[in-house]
Amino acid sequence: MAPTAAAAEQQQLLPQARKALGLAAHDASGHLTPIRITRRNTGDDDVSIKVLYCGICHSDLHTIKNEWRNAIYPVVAGHEIAGVVTEVGKNVARFKAGDNVGVGCMVNTCRSCESCEEGSENYCSRIVFTYNSVDRDGTVTYGGYSELVVVSERFVVRFPDGLPLDRGAPLLCAGVTVYAPMKQHGLSEPGKHVGVIGLGGLGHVAVKFAKAFGMKVTVISTSPEKRQEAVERLGADAFVVSTNASDMKSVMGTMHGIINTACASTSMHPYFALLKPKGKMILVGLPEKPLQVSAFALVGGGKTLAGSCMGSITDTQEMMDFAAKHGVAADVELVRADEVNTAMERLAKGDVRYRFVIDIGNTLKTD
Ligand SMILES: NC(=O)C1=CN([C@@H]2O[C@H](COP(=O)(O)OP(=O)(O)OC[C@H]3O[C@@H](n4cnc5c(N)ncnc54)[C@H](OP(=O)(O)O)[C@@H]3O)[C@@H](O)[C@H]2O)C=CC1
Ligand SMILES: O=C/C=C/c1ccc(O)c(O)c1
Ligand SMILES: [Zn+2]
Ligand SMILES: [Zn+2]
């Protein structure tokens, strides 16, 4: 397939570049088709990575459908990237060809602001996301729905032994996005009770991390059909349906904190009632539409509403190592590159258990 005009223009800006096959959305239909993109040659601080697996995050779907109104088409999504190092630049000390590595949601930051200096580079105001972002050289970033990525060493993490690449890939976004705020907000302490709103890609790994921390965990879901697997397969202690009044009453005022992963907007009022006094609601879901929050739901019990965005690179490596040590990995449905549009349609309907992962290494090929 011929490259689009925008991709061709980008290619001309990069005299030293390689071609790579990717999957791109070209408009808000979100339909993905093969595209030829360019990747820079391996710079002195870069790691070139052959992509083997890439998870499909709901953020990918929000972006390709332009639900956040910020799409820069063509969009090559994907920020749950697992692969093998093929080449490193001369300054790269931590990785060598043949290493199994991962790349998550960011590929560049300013490296000098307060957030960067304190190791919270995920809050850098000049953050460059792995895709749909303008990099410091002016090019638009393309993500892991492609056969090759070239990433500065400091945004690459090591895949620990024992963590499979296909089931580990989703941890690079979904995993760290729930792990980091759980640690930051004291929701990783044994014996505490945490609620997880939304049993999807993020939610199911939140349940697994909570159990690995030794916590009590309750899933708060809109999908009654997930009850059995939440308890029996994922290890949740309880499961309540958010529209079922008696279910919700049974856990009222019991939770130290809630991780809210819902991808669609809803009234937050019933959820705040589940928190203990001074409990914390941590928002990680990014619905297209604004949330409804009543002041009375927060003020009365001295409750906190906080947001959290991904995690730092240090958080990400710590989370990957913790996952390997405690046997935490995503439940995945592996799909071929030519099945990606069907996977997106199913994700939009909540029909996935619990993360689609594209088998890029074996199936992204020219005809
Ligand atoms: N803050 C950050 O850094 C990050 C944010 N995100 C965002 O987090 C959200 C979740 O991502 P992901 O887990 O991949 O998405 P999934 O689609 O895998 O899961 C989302 C879950 O939300 C629940 N849900 C759907 N509709 C509603 C609704 N109307 N009300 C309440 N719950 C609902 C469903 O769970 P159930 O059936 O159990 O109700 C669904 O499975 C997305 O908005 C994504 O963009 C993702 C990564 C990082
Ligand atoms: O899936 C991860 C997305 C994270 C994200 C956070 C904040 C923001 O403005 C984005 O565009 C993406
Ligand atoms: Zn994501
Ligand atoms: Zn910065």
Side-chain angles (χ1 to χ4, degrees):
M1 161 170 293
T4 64
E9 192 183 323
Q10 183 162 24
Q11 184 176 328
Q12 284 165 13
L13 297 170
L14 295 168
Q16 292 188 307
R18 292 167 281 177
K19 293 230 172 83
L21 188 60
L23 296 168
H26 299 272
D27 55 47
S29 73
H31 188 75
L32 299 166
T33 56
I35 186 175
R36 286 245 165 237
I37 58 171
T38 54
R39 295 295 192 189
R40 66 177 183 261
N41 280 339
T42 314
D44 290 349
D45 301 314
D46 285 338
V47 179
S48 282
I49 301 163
K50 175 180 164 55
V51 180
L52 296 177
Y53 299 102
C54 188
I56 301 182
C57 176
H58 206 114
S59 297
D60 302 353
L61 186 57
H62 288 307
T63 304
I64 63 174
K65 289 184 162 287
N66 203 17
E67 290 172 355
W68 294 338
R69 314 281 184 272
N70 67 346
I72 309 169
Y73 293 111
V75 174
V76 177
H79 56 207
E80 295 181 339
I81 304 168
V84 61
V85 174
T86 53
E87 189 183 21
V88 298
K90 70 174 168 45
N91 297 337
V92 172
R94 291 189 300 123
F95 302 103
K96 61 178 188 319
D99 286 351
N100 289 334
V101 293
V103 178
C105 301
M106 60 187 151
V107 290
N108 223 335
T109 54
C110 84
R111 303 167 194 206
S112 59
C113 71
E114 205 175 325
S115 296
C116 286
E117 293 272 335
E118 69 170 31
S120 305
E121 67 279 0
N122 47 316
Y123 294 117
C124 174
S125 59
R126 293 171 64 198
I127 191 169
V128 178
F129 292 105
T130 301
Y131 64 83
N132 198 52
S133 213
V134 179
D135 208 341
R136 284 156 46 144
D137 62 5
T139 60
V140 173
T141 53
Y142 293 139
Y145 297 5
S146 65
E147 57 192 350
L148 164 72
V149 291
V150 183
V151 181
S152 169
E153 175 186 25
R154 68 169 73 201
F155 298 99
V156 178
V157 297
R158 181 171 300 285
F159 246 83
D161 289 343
L163 182 60
L165 270 69
D166 52 354
R167 298 187 60 211
L171 301 181
L172 293 153
C173 172
V176 73
T177 298
V178 295
Y179 177 94
M182 288 171 86
K183 296 282 281 198
Q184 186 194 332
H185 292 281
L187 299 175
S188 58
E189 292 164 20
K192 281 195 174 174
H193 184 190
V194 66
V196 175
I197 299 175
L199 196 61
L202 270 60
H204 92 288
V205 290
V207 172
K208 292 185 182 207
F209 279 125
K211 291 316 296 176
F213 292 142
M215 304 183 75
K216 178 178 178 187
V217 56
T218 296
V219 172
I220 306 146
S221 175
T222 61
S223 307
E225 69 277 9
K226 293 180 183 173
R227 184 185 299 270
Q228 191 173 358
E229 60 207 40
V231 174
E232 291 179 7
R233 197 166 84 217
L234 301 174
D237 297 285
F239 180 98
V240 295
V241 177
S242 51
T243 50
N244 181 317
S246 73
D247 267 17
M248 293 292 271
K249 199 171 169 203
S250 70
V251 287
M252 206 161 277
T254 64
M255 298 175 191
H256 294 90
I258 294 175
I259 305 290
N260 185 346
T261 77
C263 59
S265 186
T266 170
S267 167
M268 301 271 284
H269 197 82
Y271 299 133
F272 283 112
L274 308 185
L275 290 170
K276 286 174 177 286
K278 296 192 184 174
K280 295 179 178 181
M281 171 76 69
I282 315 298
L283 202 55
V284 292
L286 288 163
E288 173 183 0
K289 299 206 174 82
L291 296 169
Q292 299 154 46
V293 182
S294 148
F296 287 91
L298 274 169
V299 172
K303 293 169 187 171
T304 300
L305 174 59
S308 189
C309 185
M310 313 172 305
S312 68
I313 292 298
T314 304
D315 292 330
T316 309
Q317 188 66 66
E318 178 188 309
M319 176 275 309
M320 295 291 275
D321 294 342
F322 179 94
K325 189 171 170 192
H326 294 269
V328 174
D331 285 15
V332 305
E333 293 192 45
L334 211 55
V335 295
R336 299 172 45 82
D338 60 11
E339 294 169 332
V340 68
N341 288 301
T342 308
M344 289 294 180
E345 284 164 23
R346 286 183 53 198
L347 177 61
K349 292 187 289 191
D351 174 21
V352 51
R353 298 294 187 274
Y354 280 91
R355 195 54 130 195
F356 288 118
V357 171
I358 313 172
D359 183 356
I360 297 279
N362 290 311
T363 68
L364 181 61
K365 299 183 192 314
T366 40
D367 297 331

